[in-house]
C-alpha cells in the first residue's frame, strides 16, 4: 500500500526504529528505559489504530515522530560490545 510517498513498509520500519532502544547502563537506567519503552509502545499502538481506522500511514508516521520528540532517550546507554567487525 502506498499513500503519497509513504508505504506501509515505511511505517513498519518506523515502528521497528521507535522500539529499538539501546540497552541501559545501570539498573536505574533500566527502569527509565522500561518506562520509555512503555510510552513508545503506546505510540505504536496509537499509530497502528490510526492506520486501521483511516488508512492513513502519513499521519501515523507523524504520531510516531511526535512520540520520539516527546519521549526521547534520556537514560545512560550501555555501549555495544565490539564485535570484531572491521568496518
Amino acid at each position: 500500500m502506498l499513500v503519497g510517498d509513504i508505504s506501509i513498509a515505511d511505517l513498519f520500519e518506523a515502528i521497528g526504529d521507535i522500539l529499538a532502544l539501546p540497552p541501559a547502563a545501570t539498573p536505574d537506567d533500566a527502569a527509565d528505559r522500561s518506562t520509555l519503552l512503555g510510552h513508545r509502545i503506546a505510540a505504536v499502538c496509537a499509530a497502528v489504530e490510526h492506520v486501521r481506522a483511516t488508512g492513513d500511514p502519513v499521519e501515523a508516521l507523524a504520531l510516531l515522530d511526535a512520540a520520539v520528540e516527546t519521549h526521547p532517550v534520556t537514560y545512560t546507554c550501555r555501549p555495544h560490545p565490539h564485535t570484531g567487525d572491521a568496518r
Side-chain angles (χ1 to χ4, degrees):
M1 178 179 173
L2 186 64
V3 177
D5 291 337
I6 304 296
S7 70
I8 294 300
D10 296 327
L11 180 61
F12 283 129
E13 182 177 347
I15 288 170
D17 290 346
I18 197 173
L19 296 177
L21 297 175
T26 68
D28 287 340
D29 289 329
D32 291 342
R33 181 187 184 278
S34 181
T35 299
L36 176 58
L37 186 57
H39 291 299
R40 300 268 182 107
I41 289 169
V44 167
C45 290
V48 169
E49 182 55 35
H50 179 78
V51 172
R52 289 180 63 199
T54 68
D56 180 11
V58 175
E59 182 61 27
L61 283 172
L63 292 171
L64 295 177
D65 288 342
V68 169
E69 289 179 21
T70 303
H71 301 286
V73 173
T74 57
Y75 59 90
T76 305
C77 301
R78 182 177 63 214
H80 291 284
H82 181 25
T83 61
D85 194 8
R87 286 191 225 178

